[in-house]
Amino acid sequence: MLRTRFAPSPTGYLHIGGVRTALFCWLFAKAGGGKFILRIDDTDWRRNVDEALHPILDGLRWLGIDWDEGPEVGGPLGPYFQSQRAEKYKAAAEKLLQAGLAYRDYATAEELQAERKAAEAEKRSFVYSRKWMAETPKDQARFEAEGRSAVVRLKMPREGKLVIDDLVRGPVEFDWAQEQDHVIQRADGSCLYHLASVVDDHDMQISHVIRAEEHLSNTPRQVFIGQSLGYELPKYAHLPFVAEPGSRNKLSKRKLAKYLGNRDFAQLLDHGRQIAQRIGLDADPETFNPVVVDFYRQVGYLPEAIVNYLALLGWSWDDKTEHFTRRELVERFSLDRINKAPGSFDPKKLQAFQERHMLEVPIEQKMKMVLPFLEKAGLLDAVDHDRLESMLSQILEICGDRIKLSGDILLYADFFFVADDALAYDEKAFEKRLRKPAEAAGLLTKLKDRLAAAEPFDAPSLERLLHEFTEIEGIKIGQIIHALRVAVTGKAFGPGMFDCLAVLGKESCLKRIDRALFINRDTGLAEGIM
């Protein structure tokens, strides 16, 4: 059976590139009627971060990249944490030792460094001399009598070539003489990733190893381990890395400051930070970072949009189709359509996918998506909960495509959910639209009286009312509508003005206008101005 695996290390939050790899593994398995296995490669206990495991699991689940076997799911070939499989690796290392395909090496770090420097001075490639290799029990006893401790190294071939038929890159050739005698077991008995990964892939019956191209250089030693242990080798496919915006360099979550020089990336992050600020979310660059998948979940992106975008970051169906449902991706995905060149992370294009997918979401689903953001921001306390559903439906309807992310409800429509006497006014907008124009307060006072008598209080009727008012007063609509918007919403921009008035209702609108006029009479920055 076709079986793929994604094997992240719990050393940090899930990188966009890692998610793309997981997605391709998942798509390939589903397209071939196989299984997708999630394995946690936590052999390096010094770098593991327990808190990072759940964001990895939660991030994959959020994206719909579910696993058939693995953590919290189980399966017949577990355990699925390398930290729980140590005895299997030790047994494999011992088998390699017994077969003479690995050896105990007693060299010190200083002795190895001296050999490297000598090779450098002679302008030749470094190849370990195996001077401190214990070939017999007598050698082992002699070295240990000197107080030395041993690691276990692979006894790699020193001649010939290895050719791998990579399913993405085609035939790839390696010269065995260039391969080092890699360490597979530390002096403390713990085994390293390369041995553990090969053993696990065999035990878990992985048929296809699909991973980032940075692992291509690891393949010869892993092939050697697998062949030496008598395993049937999986097929390999190495994916091009995800590149920085507008660059061919690899995208890294540690280069946030550098990426801020890209306008689209900076706007993406700023947008997210505005939402984060409203819900009291810590915007720590280590975790709140557009290179980390959790960023998108926290600010309200659609997982379908992220999946659609990432699928096209290195893969294509043809030269024109970009919009895919998950089912269509599964039906069409194949490794032979993966590009060999790196795909550049494009924040603007990602945003375009988000906006396109958001337009397809029905109002009922959007309501469920935005409610958690309103709750986190504490904006539901002042709302009549009997009216909440119909009110929220109306708000989303009039906001239309302004709500590009679920979190945008806090940036464009928060004023609907605050008490009339707690509405905060944007300082610049208040100064420009209410304080500065000499006629603004007087016109707003007159308009308020007409609004108080308005029946019905709906958008079409209110629009007619305002146009009649401007004709009677002999003014342009811009002389009053901006002041009205700031008075009732606190903002200089937002959904259609008449829709806002109708949703807020007459009583709230009148109270807010009164409050704005009261604040306007104050000569300083009064309470409520922000």
Side-chain angles (χ1 to χ4, degrees):
M1 175 186 282
L2 190 158
R3 291 169 64 87
T4 66
R5 51 80 164 170
F6 178 58
S9 299
T11 56
Y13 284 73
L14 201 53
H15 184 281
I16 281 289
V19 172
R20 198 275 306 264
T21 298
L23 175 63
F24 283 11
C25 289
W26 184 87
L27 286 171
F28 185 70
K30 299 306 173 185
K35 291 191 174 183
F36 172 67
I37 289 81
L38 178 63
R39 184 174 76 225
I40 305 302
D41 283 3
D42 55 350
T43 51
D44 192 350
W45 57 268
R46 292 165 295 187
R47 296 180 62 234
N48 293 336
V49 180
D50 289 340
E51 311 87 69
L53 175 60
H54 285 291
I56 290 173
L57 303 183
D58 293 344
L60 291 175
R61 282 202 183 98
W62 174 66
L63 290 168
I65 303 176
D66 53 328
W67 49 100
D68 299 292
E69 299 172 25
E72 300 180 355
V73 171
L77 302 176
Y80 296 92
F81 288 83
Q82 286 190 335
S83 57
Q84 299 172 17
R85 300 172 60 84
E87 294 308 312
K88 293 180 180 290
Y89 312 141
K90 291 178 181 178
E94 186 59 33
K95 185 175 180 180
L96 292 171
L97 284 167
Q98 294 299 323
L101 297 167
Y103 61 91
R104 289 186 173 84
D105 178 50
Y106 288 86
T108 64
E110 293 76 17
E111 288 162 344
L112 288 172
Q113 184 61 21
E115 287 203 359
R116 286 194 185 91
K117 286 186 176 180
E120 185 178 340
E122 296 169 16
K123 297 185 179 181
R124 58 177 171 81
S125 298
F126 167 68
V127 178
Y128 176 42
S129 67
R130 298 175 181 167
K131 181 178 178 180
W132 293 274
M133 173 179 68
E135 294 187 275
T136 65
K138 185 177 179 182
D139 290 337
Q140 186 175 344
R142 175 169 56 84
F143 285 131
E144 289 179 0
E146 296 175 7
R148 295 172 179 264
S149 56
V151 297
V152 175
R153 291 183 181 275
L154 295 174
K155 195 172 185 180
M156 300 291 286
R158 291 286 169 89
E159 57 185 24
K161 295 183 183 296
L162 168 69
V163 178
I164 298 169
D165 187 16
D166 191 278
L167 297 178
V168 170
R169 306 174 71 87
V172 184
E173 188 175 279
F174 298 91
D175 188 342
W176 282 120
Q178 299 301 315
E179 291 296 315
Q180 303 298 324
D181 286 358
H182 303 285
V183 176
I184 58 171
Q185 189 173 26
R186 302 181 183 92
D188 64 5
S190 61
C191 294
L192 276 73
Y193 160 79
H194 297 292
L195 175 65
S197 183
V198 173
V199 171
D200 289 346
D201 285 344
H202 171 262
D203 288 356
M204 296 176 189
Q205 300 172 15
I206 302 303
S207 63
H208 292 74
V209 172
I210 303 170
R211 57 190 182 184
E213 69 175 340
E214 64 198 62
H215 292 285
L216 183 60
S217 62
N218 301 332
T219 308
R221 75 194 76 168
Q222 294 176 358
V223 166
F224 177 77
I225 292 170
Q227 289 176 334
S228 299
L229 291 171
Y231 296 165
E232 180 180 350
L233 296 178
K235 295 178 181 178
Y236 292 95
H238 289 89
L239 309 175
F241 60 76
V242 177
E244 300 171 347
S247 165
R248 289 292 181 179
N249 298 320
K250 184 181 175 183
L251 185 70
S252 169
K253 60 187 177 185
R254 295 177 180 84
K255 295 182 180 179
L256 181 61
K258 175 184 176 182
Y259 303 149
L260 294 179
N262 178 284
R263 183 182 63 180
D264 296 329
F265 189 94
Q267 288 177 346
L268 180 73
L269 179 59
D270 181 63
H271 191 171
R273 281 179 171 167
Q274 290 181 52
I275 295 170
Q277 184 179 19
R278 298 302 305 273
I279 59 178
L281 185 66
D282 181 13
D284 179 356
E286 180 67 22
T287 55
F288 194 77
N289 181 337
V291 180
V292 175
V293 72
D294 207 47
F295 170 89
Y296 301 95
R297 181 179 65 84
Q298 290 176 319
V299 300
Y301 277 75
L302 287 165
E304 293 81 3
I306 303 295
V307 165
N308 193 165
Y309 173 70
L310 289 179
L312 294 174
L313 199 56
W315 173 87
S316 63
W317 171 249
D318 53 32
D319 60 357
K320 59 181 184 292
T321 310
E322 289 194 331
H323 191 70
F324 295 94
T325 64
R326 192 177 298 259
R327 176 179 291 180
E328 287 170 339
L329 286 172
V330 169
E331 290 172 350
R332 300 179 185 184
F333 186 82
S334 63
L335 294 177
D336 60 356
R337 291 186 178 274
I338 293 176
N339 302 321
K340 295 180 183 179
S344 180
F345 177 69
D346 186 341
K348 190 173 183 178
K349 192 166 186 178
L350 170 59
Q351 186 64 25
F353 275 94
Q354 168 64 20
E355 292 175 19
R356 184 188 301 173
H357 279 269
M358 197 69 163
L359 289 174
E360 298 175 353
V361 177
I363 292 293
E364 294 75 16
Q365 185 180 339
K366 282 186 182 177
M367 289 169 62
K368 294 177 182 178
M369 290 161 52
V370 302
L371 269 173
F373 288 90
L374 293 169
E375 289 181 37
K376 289 175 185 175
L379 291 178
L380 297 182
D381 299 339
V383 178
D384 180 355
H385 284 262
D386 292 333
R387 184 174 170 248
L388 176 60
E389 185 173 336
S390 62
M391 176 182 170
L392 188 53
S393 177
Q394 291 178 70
I395 291 168
L396 289 170
E397 194 71 53
I398 66 173
C399 283
D401 60 5
R402 289 181 179 85
I403 306 297
K404 295 175 171 58
L405 314 177
S406 298
D408 283 346
I409 193 75
L410 306 178
L411 306 183
Y412 294 97
D414 55 338
F415 59 86
F416 286 109
F417 302 94
V418 299
D420 301 324
D421 59 0
L423 179 67
Y425 298 95
D426 177 86
E427 179 182 343
K428 290 182 179 179
F430 197 93
E431 181 70 23
K432 181 178 180 179
R433 301 302 185 185
L434 270 167
R435 284 196 192 280
K436 196 171 181 180
E439 75 280 7
L443 290 172
L444 196 56
T445 301
K446 290 180 181 180
L447 179 62
K448 180 208 160 195
D449 293 337
R450 295 181 66 85
L451 291 172
E455 288 295 342
F457 205 81
D458 58 36
S461 301
L462 293 169
E463 185 173 8
R464 285 193 298 271
L465 182 153
L466 191 67
H467 283 289
E468 291 170 1
F469 177 79
T470 59
E471 290 178 11
I472 292 170
E473 295 296 325
I475 62 172
K476 294 180 179 178
I477 195 168
Q479 291 176 263
I480 182 61
I481 197 167
H482 299 303
L484 177 61
R485 178 181 291 281
V486 173
V488 299
T489 72
K491 300 178 184 293
F493 56 87
M497 186 70 259
F498 308 108
D499 290 318
C500 290
L501 296 174
V503 172
L504 283 166
K506 182 188 294 186
E507 184 180 352
S508 282
C509 290
L510 298 178
K511 285 181 179 179
R512 292 181 179 204
I513 292 171
D514 276 339
R515 182 164 180 260
L517 290 170
F518 175 78
I519 291 175
N520 188 55
R521 289 194 294 270
D522 192 354
T523 56
L525 289 181
E527 181 181 353
I529 298 290
M530 64 176 184

